[in-house]
Amino acid sequence: MELSDVVQFRANIQKVLKPGVWIPVLRSPHNWKEEWSLYSTKEDCLQDIKNAVTKLQQNTEDLEFQLDYATESKVQISCLTKSRWLDQVIIKLSSESSSEKTKARVYSFSTGVIPLTVVGSPLLNPLLCWFPFYDMEFSEKTWLPKIRDALETPCEVVKKGRAL
């Protein structure tokens, strides 16, 4: 499902602002952290993550995945629900002692309480950054499993839980 130009414009603003994570204690109900062990080199894992996002973009469900950027050790992915709530996934890669194994620190969070379909949402979400909200477990039950399942590289979840 394609994003309208207006929603894409609002998403681009909210990707930068990320008001949902501004206040440490209040962000806990709508963020999630995992640590993955990937059984390949860091370079291969990076390419595999980019390929996984490309596969997910071709998905016909009501979910949207966008690769925001990828450096040699960090990937940022924007994920939008059918109602156009914007969540983000940040994956930081580092080589483990074995060159054929990579550690991924994964952080997923909601960027705001108001969906991007609401007029003025990139302005309202920063004003409501103090408002606690719950993400309906989208990070741990939707975004991260879909990304892991789309990977070709074997992936093991080593740690997971809400972040403070």
Side-chain angles (χ1 to χ4, degrees), residues 19-45:
V21 294
W22 287 357
I23 301 177
V25 175
L26 297 179
R27 69 179 170 215
S28 187
H30 53 267
N31 69 32
W32 188 256
K33 280 189 178 181
E34 289 185 356
E35 189 175 297
W36 300 345
S37 212
L38 300 161
Y39 297 94
S40 191
T41 65
K42 186 169 104 171
E43 295 77 20
D44 290 344
C45 291

mmCIF file of all heavy atoms in Angstrom, residues 19-45:
data_model
loop_
_atom_site.group_PDB
_atom_site.id
_atom_site.type_symbol
_atom_site.label_atom_id
_atom_site.label_comp_id
_atom_site.label_asym_id
_atom_site.label_seq_id
_atom_site.Cartn_x
_atom_site.Cartn_y
_atom_site.Cartn_z
ATOM 1 N N PRO A 19 9.333 12.225 18.862
ATOM 2 C CA PRO A 19 8.907 12.698 20.177
ATOM 3 C C PRO A 19 8.483 11.587 21.147
ATOM 4 O O PRO A 19 8.492 11.801 22.357
ATOM 5 C CB PRO A 19 7.719 13.620 19.860
ATOM 6 C CG PRO A 19 7.234 13.178 18.532
ATOM 7 C CD PRO A 19 8.440 12.677 17.790
ATOM 8 N N GLY A 20 8.153 10.420 20.641
ATOM 9 C CA GLY A 20 7.734 9.323 21.512
ATOM 10 C C GLY A 20 8.827 8.799 22.424
ATOM 11 O O GLY A 20 8.550 8.058 23.358
ATOM 12 N N VAL A 21 10.086 9.165 22.156
ATOM 13 C CA VAL A 21 11.190 8.670 22.991
ATOM 14 C C VAL A 21 11.899 9.789 23.745
ATOM 15 O O VAL A 21 12.976 9.583 24.295
ATOM 16 C CB VAL A 21 12.208 7.853 22.163
ATOM 17 C CG1 VAL A 21 11.580 6.587 21.645
ATOM 18 C CG2 VAL A 21 12.809 8.664 21.042
ATOM 19 N N TRP A 22 11.305 10.955 23.798
ATOM 20 C CA TRP A 22 11.957 12.076 24.464
ATOM 21 C C TRP A 22 12.035 11.919 25.980
ATOM 22 O O TRP A 22 13.023 12.326 26.585
ATOM 23 C CB TRP A 22 11.221 13.376 24.147
ATOM 24 C CG TRP A 22 11.427 13.883 22.761
ATOM 25 C CD1 TRP A 22 12.238 13.353 21.793
ATOM 26 C CD2 TRP A 22 10.807 15.016 22.177
ATOM 27 N NE1 TRP A 22 12.150 14.094 20.647
ATOM 28 C CE2 TRP A 22 11.273 15.130 20.847
ATOM 29 C CE3 TRP A 22 9.897 15.949 22.633
ATOM 30 C CZ2 TRP A 22 10.874 16.130 19.987
ATOM 31 C CZ3 TRP A 22 9.493 16.953 21.768
ATOM 32 C CH2 TRP A 22 9.982 17.043 20.468
ATOM 33 N N ILE A 23 11.009 11.376 26.610
ATOM 34 C CA ILE A 23 10.974 11.325 28.083
ATOM 35 C C ILE A 23 11.230 9.887 28.538
ATOM 36 O O ILE A 23 10.420 8.995 28.285
ATOM 37 C CB ILE A 23 9.633 11.869 28.619
ATOM 38 C CG1 ILE A 23 9.452 13.316 28.131
ATOM 39 C CG2 ILE A 23 9.597 11.788 30.143
ATOM 40 C CD1 ILE A 23 8.149 13.958 28.509
ATOM 41 N N PRO A 24 12.361 9.655 29.218
ATOM 42 C CA PRO A 24 12.801 8.289 29.520
ATOM 43 C C PRO A 24 11.772 7.357 30.163
ATOM 44 O O PRO A 24 11.525 6.285 29.646
ATOM 45 C CB PRO A 24 13.999 8.507 30.450
ATOM 46 C CG PRO A 24 14.533 9.836 30.051
ATOM 47 C CD PRO A 24 13.324 10.643 29.668
ATOM 48 N N VAL A 25 11.158 7.712 31.240
ATOM 49 C CA VAL A 25 10.249 6.788 31.929
ATOM 50 C C VAL A 25 8.971 6.562 31.114
ATOM 51 O O VAL A 25 8.446 5.455 31.056
ATOM 52 C CB VAL A 25 9.918 7.300 33.345
ATOM 53 C CG1 VAL A 25 8.886 6.426 34.019
ATOM 54 C CG2 VAL A 25 11.188 7.370 34.184
ATOM 55 N N LEU A 26 8.499 7.586 30.439
ATOM 56 C CA LEU A 26 7.245 7.491 29.684
ATOM 57 C C LEU A 26 7.394 6.734 28.368
ATOM 58 O O LEU A 26 6.412 6.284 27.797
ATOM 59 C CB LEU A 26 6.686 8.889 29.410
ATOM 60 C CG LEU A 26 6.303 9.691 30.643
ATOM 61 C CD1 LEU A 26 5.793 11.061 30.240
ATOM 62 C CD2 LEU A 26 5.266 8.963 31.478
ATOM 63 N N ARG A 27 8.623 6.555 27.878
ATOM 64 C CA ARG A 27 8.809 5.837 26.612
ATOM 65 C C ARG A 27 8.822 4.328 26.779
ATOM 66 O O ARG A 27 8.679 3.595 25.814
ATOM 67 C CB ARG A 27 10.079 6.312 25.916
ATOM 68 C CG ARG A 27 11.349 5.913 26.618
ATOM 69 C CD ARG A 27 12.558 6.405 25.863
ATOM 70 N NE ARG A 27 13.747 6.215 26.667
ATOM 71 C CZ ARG A 27 14.760 7.021 26.681
ATOM 72 N NH1 ARG A 27 14.763 8.105 25.924
ATOM 73 N NH2 ARG A 27 15.808 6.781 27.428
ATOM 74 N N SER A 28 8.964 3.853 27.996
ATOM 75 C CA SER A 28 9.079 2.415 28.234
ATOM 76 C C SER A 28 7.903 1.585 27.716
ATOM 77 O O SER A 28 8.122 0.522 27.146
ATOM 78 C CB SER A 28 9.287 2.148 29.721
ATOM 79 O OG SER A 28 9.545 0.791 29.934
ATOM 80 N N PRO A 29 6.646 2.017 27.865
ATOM 81 C CA PRO A 29 5.542 1.174 27.376
ATOM 82 C C PRO A 29 5.490 1.029 25.856
ATOM 83 O O PRO A 29 4.790 0.167 25.352
ATOM 84 C CB PRO A 29 4.280 1.900 27.865
ATOM 85 C CG PRO A 29 4.736 2.830 28.920
ATOM 86 C CD PRO A 29 6.150 3.172 28.616
ATOM 87 N N HIS A 30 6.207 1.844 25.114
ATOM 88 C CA HIS A 30 6.139 1.742 23.656
ATOM 89 C C HIS A 30 7.516 1.627 22.998
ATOM 90 O O HIS A 30 7.763 2.157 21.926
ATOM 91 C CB HIS A 30 5.335 2.902 23.048
ATOM 92 C CG HIS A 30 5.792 4.253 23.479
ATOM 93 N ND1 HIS A 30 5.241 4.900 24.546
ATOM 94 C CD2 HIS A 30 6.742 5.072 22.999
ATOM 95 C CE1 HIS A 30 5.838 6.067 24.700
ATOM 96 N NE2 HIS A 30 6.749 6.189 23.759
ATOM 97 N N ASN A 31 8.417 0.908 23.671
ATOM 98 C CA ASN A 31 9.675 0.572 23.017
ATOM 99 C C ASN A 31 10.100 -0.840 23.383
ATOM 100 O O ASN A 31 9.567 -1.435 24.316
ATOM 101 C CB ASN A 31 10.771 1.601 23.321
ATOM 102 C CG ASN A 31 11.231 1.586 24.745
ATOM 103 O OD1 ASN A 31 11.254 0.568 25.401
ATOM 104 N ND2 ASN A 31 11.617 2.740 25.248
ATOM 105 N N TRP A 32 11.021 -1.372 22.635
ATOM 106 C CA TRP A 32 11.428 -2.766 22.802
ATOM 107 C C TRP A 32 12.865 -2.910 22.336
ATOM 108 O O TRP A 32 13.263 -2.328 21.325
ATOM 109 C CB TRP A 32 10.509 -3.659 21.976
ATOM 110 C CG TRP A 32 10.682 -5.116 22.182
ATOM 111 C CD1 TRP A 32 11.312 -5.992 21.338
ATOM 112 C CD2 TRP A 32 10.224 -5.906 23.279
ATOM 113 N NE1 TRP A 32 11.264 -7.262 21.853
ATOM 114 C CE2 TRP A 32 10.601 -7.238 23.045
ATOM 115 C CE3 TRP A 32 9.536 -5.607 24.438
ATOM 116 C CZ2 TRP A 32 10.313 -8.273 23.926
ATOM 117 C CZ3 TRP A 32 9.242 -6.630 25.324
ATOM 118 C CH2 TRP A 32 9.627 -7.951 25.060
ATOM 119 N N LYS A 33 13.641 -3.685 23.081
ATOM 120 C CA LYS A 33 15.030 -3.944 22.703
ATOM 121 C C LYS A 33 15.250 -5.448 22.582
ATOM 122 O O LYS A 33 14.687 -6.232 23.341
ATOM 123 C CB LYS A 33 15.999 -3.405 23.758
ATOM 124 C CG LYS A 33 16.256 -1.938 23.662
ATOM 125 C CD LYS A 33 17.385 -1.520 24.594
ATOM 126 C CE LYS A 33 17.674 -0.045 24.447
ATOM 127 N NZ LYS A 33 18.753 0.406 25.303
ATOM 128 N N GLU A 34 16.063 -5.805 21.608
ATOM 129 C CA GLU A 34 16.489 -7.194 21.451
ATOM 130 C C GLU A 34 17.967 -7.219 21.094
ATOM 131 O O GLU A 34 18.505 -6.245 20.572
ATOM 132 C CB GLU A 34 15.705 -7.905 20.335
ATOM 133 C CG GLU A 34 14.274 -8.172 20.682
ATOM 134 C CD GLU A 34 13.532 -8.984 19.637
ATOM 135 O OE1 GLU A 34 14.090 -9.308 18.570
ATOM 136 O OE2 GLU A 34 12.363 -9.299 19.889
ATOM 137 N N GLU A 35 18.586 -8.343 21.397
ATOM 138 C CA GLU A 35 19.951 -8.587 20.944
ATOM 139 C C GLU A 35 19.909 -9.875 20.132
ATOM 140 O O GLU A 35 19.381 -10.885 20.597
ATOM 141 C CB GLU A 35 20.887 -8.731 22.147
ATOM 142 C CG GLU A 35 22.343 -8.766 21.759
ATOM 143 C CD GLU A 35 23.238 -8.785 22.988
ATOM 144 O OE1 GLU A 35 23.200 -7.803 23.754
ATOM 145 O OE2 GLU A 35 23.952 -9.793 23.168
ATOM 146 N N TRP A 36 20.425 -9.796 18.923
ATOM 147 C CA TRP A 36 20.425 -10.954 18.032
ATOM 148 C C TRP A 36 21.845 -11.436 17.815
ATOM 149 O O TRP A 36 22.790 -10.658 17.804
ATOM 150 C CB TRP A 36 19.865 -10.612 16.660
ATOM 151 C CG TRP A 36 18.466 -10.109 16.613
ATOM 152 C CD1 TRP A 36 17.517 -10.171 17.597
ATOM 153 C CD2 TRP A 36 17.850 -9.435 15.518
ATOM 154 N NE1 TRP A 36 16.352 -9.591 17.170
ATOM 155 C CE2 TRP A 36 16.524 -9.135 15.896
ATOM 156 C CE3 TRP A 36 18.271 -9.064 14.250
ATOM 157 C CZ2 TRP A 36 15.636 -8.482 15.047
ATOM 158 C CZ3 TRP A 36 17.389 -8.418 13.416
ATOM 159 C CH2 TRP A 36 16.078 -8.132 13.807
ATOM 160 N N SER A 37 21.953 -12.733 17.605
ATOM 161 C CA SER A 37 23.205 -13.334 17.165
ATOM 162 C C SER A 37 22.959 -13.826 15.745
ATOM 163 O O SER A 37 22.093 -14.663 15.513
ATOM 164 C CB SER A 37 23.564 -14.492 18.090
ATOM 165 O OG SER A 37 24.931 -14.631 18.201
ATOM 166 N N LEU A 38 23.690 -13.250 14.800
ATOM 167 C CA LEU A 38 23.531 -13.589 13.390
ATOM 168 C C LEU A 38 24.753 -14.392 12.943
ATOM 169 O O LEU A 38 25.886 -14.014 13.235
ATOM 170 C CB LEU A 38 23.398 -12.321 12.550
ATOM 171 C CG LEU A 38 22.210 -11.432 12.910
ATOM 172 C CD1 LEU A 38 22.412 -10.025 12.388
ATOM 173 C CD2 LEU A 38 20.953 -12.025 12.337
ATOM 174 N N TYR A 39 24.526 -15.448 12.241
ATOM 175 C CA TYR A 39 25.599 -16.366 11.882
ATOM 176 C C TYR A 39 26.129 -16.086 10.481
ATOM 177 O O TYR A 39 25.986 -16.871 9.556
ATOM 178 C CB TYR A 39 25.116 -17.807 12.045
ATOM 179 C CG TYR A 39 24.785 -18.091 13.488
ATOM 180 C CD1 TYR A 39 23.495 -17.944 13.971
ATOM 181 C CD2 TYR A 39 25.786 -18.444 14.386
ATOM 182 C CE1 TYR A 39 23.195 -18.152 15.306
ATOM 183 C CE2 TYR A 39 25.503 -18.654 15.724
ATOM 184 C CZ TYR A 39 24.201 -18.508 16.178
ATOM 185 O OH TYR A 39 23.916 -18.712 17.498
ATOM 186 N N SER A 40 26.777 -14.914 10.358
ATOM 187 C CA SER A 40 27.421 -14.493 9.121
ATOM 188 C C SER A 40 28.290 -13.278 9.433
ATOM 189 O O SER A 40 28.243 -12.752 10.545
ATOM 190 C CB SER A 40 26.359 -14.145 8.070
ATOM 191 O OG SER A 40 26.969 -13.981 6.815
ATOM 192 N N THR A 41 29.056 -12.836 8.454
ATOM 193 C CA THR A 41 29.900 -11.655 8.670
ATOM 194 C C THR A 41 29.038 -10.397 8.772
ATOM 195 O O THR A 41 27.892 -10.379 8.318
ATOM 196 C CB THR A 41 30.898 -11.475 7.503
ATOM 197 O OG1 THR A 41 30.157 -11.203 6.315
ATOM 198 C CG2 THR A 41 31.773 -12.703 7.323
ATOM 199 N N LYS A 42 29.605 -9.359 9.346
ATOM 200 C CA LYS A 42 28.872 -8.101 9.518
ATOM 201 C C LYS A 42 28.428 -7.535 8.164
ATOM 202 O O LYS A 42 27.296 -7.079 8.017
ATOM 203 C CB LYS A 42 29.752 -7.096 10.266
ATOM 204 C CG LYS A 42 29.049 -5.806 10.616
ATOM 205 C CD LYS A 42 29.876 -4.988 11.578
ATOM 206 C CE LYS A 42 30.525 -3.863 10.843
ATOM 207 N NZ LYS A 42 31.187 -2.895 11.724
ATOM 208 N N GLU A 43 29.297 -7.592 7.178
ATOM 209 C CA GLU A 43 28.977 -7.067 5.847
ATOM 210 C C GLU A 43 27.820 -7.851 5.219
ATOM 211 O O GLU A 43 26.910 -7.264 4.621
ATOM 212 C CB GLU A 43 30.212 -7.125 4.934
ATOM 213 C CG GLU A 43 31.352 -6.222 5.374
ATOM 214 C CD GLU A 43 32.157 -6.771 6.556
ATOM 215 O OE1 GLU A 43 32.107 -8.001 6.831
ATOM 216 O OE2 GLU A 43 32.821 -5.966 7.227
ATOM 217 N N ASP A 44 27.858 -9.178 5.341
ATOM 218 C CA ASP A 44 26.785 -10.011 4.789
ATOM 219 C C ASP A 44 25.467 -9.766 5.525
ATOM 220 O O ASP A 44 24.403 -9.735 4.907
ATOM 221 C CB ASP A 44 27.149 -11.500 4.860
ATOM 222 C CG ASP A 44 28.260 -11.867 3.882
ATOM 223 O OD1 ASP A 44 28.540 -11.073 2.954
ATOM 224 O OD2 ASP A 44 28.857 -12.953 4.054
ATOM 225 N N CYS A 45 25.548 -9.586 6.837
ATOM 226 C CA CYS A 45 24.339 -9.309 7.629
ATOM 227 C C CYS A 45 23.719 -7.980 7.231
ATOM 228 O O CYS A 45 22.493 -7.872 7.107
ATOM 229 C CB CYS A 45 24.663 -9.311 9.118
ATOM 230 S SG CYS A 45 25.071 -10.940 9.765
#
